[in-house]
Amino acid sequence: MECLIREATSDDCEHLMSLIQEIAAFHHLLDDVTINSQVLKADGFGKDPFYKCIVAELPVENGRKQACPIGYALYFFGYSVNHGRMVYLENLYVVSECRGKGIGKQLLSKVAEIALAAGCVEMKFVTMEWNHPAKEFYNCLGAHDATESEQLHCMELGHATLQRLVQSRKEL
Ligand SMILES: CC(C)(COP(=O)(O)OP(=O)(O)OC[C@H]1O[C@@H](n2cnc3c(N)ncnc32)[C@H](O)[C@@H]1OP(=O)(O)O)[C@@H](O)C(=O)NCCC(=O)NCCS
C-alpha cells in the first residue's frame, strides 16, 4: 500500500495520543496509560526530546480530506555495554484496517535506516507473550527471541519504588 513515512511533529500529538490509546487497548492496558497529548508534546518536541517518532500516512486522495497518521513507530536511542549504540523500539502500531499491507514493515525499515545512520548496531523491543501476530511479524523480519536464547526477564521499578529508593539513600 502506498504510504508516506515522515517524522512526527508536535501537531501530531493529539492524534498520536489516540493511537497510543488504541494500542494500549489492544494490549488490555488502557488503564495503564497515564500520559496525555500535552506530556507527549513536551517530552518529544521540547528542548531535549526523550523520544523520537515517525508516522505513516495515506495519500490525501485516498478518500480523506486531510492526511492523518494510520500508524507510528516511537523509539529512542540507548546504549549497550556489550555492543554500543542501540535503538529501543517502544511502540509500533498500524490501525487494524491497514494491517497486512506492508506499512508496519515500512515503519520498522525507516527506524532501522535512522538507527544505522546514527551508528546503532542493534534494535531492542519487547512483545507480549500472547501477541503471536506481532511475534510472527518480527520473526518474519529476522528478529530473534532473546527471552528464549538469553533467558531475559523484563523488569521495572515503578515511580513509587523509585521514590522509596531515593528516600532510603537519603536516610543512610
Ligand atoms: C504488528 C504490526 C505493526 C505489523 O504491521 P503490518 O503493517 O500489519 O505488517 P506488514 O504488512 O508490514 O507485514 C510485514 C511482513 O510481516 C509479515 N506478517 C505480518 N503480520 C504477520 C502475521 N500475523 N503472521 C505472519 N506474518 C506476518 C507479512 O507477511 C510481511 O511479510 P513480507 O514482507 O514477506 O510480505 C501490526 O499488525 C499492528 O499494529 N498490530 C497491533 C499492534 C502490535 O501488535 N504492535 C506490535 C507490538 S510490540
Side-chain angles (χ1 to χ4, degrees), residues 76-138:
F76 44 85
F77 295 113
Y79 203 76
S80 152
V81 286
N82 291 338
H83 307 129
R85 295 182 189 196
M86 63 110 161
V87 64
Y88 187 84
L89 181 73
E90 167 68 7
N91 248 189
L92 177 68
Y93 185 66
V94 176
V95 297
S96 57
E97 60 273 29
C98 295
R99 287 179 200 154
K101 297 174 167 41
I103 296 171
K105 186 176 177 179
Q106 285 191 58
L107 281 164
L108 199 64
S109 156
K110 185 66 191 174
V111 177
E113 182 183 287
I114 295 167
L116 288 176
C120 296
V121 292
E122 63 192 14
M123 180 188 291
K124 293 194 179 195
F125 47 89
V126 294
T127 67
M128 296 286 204
E129 173 61 30
W130 52 261
N131 194 352
H132 299 291
K135 287 203 247 177
E136 296 279 357
F137 165 80
Y138 291 124

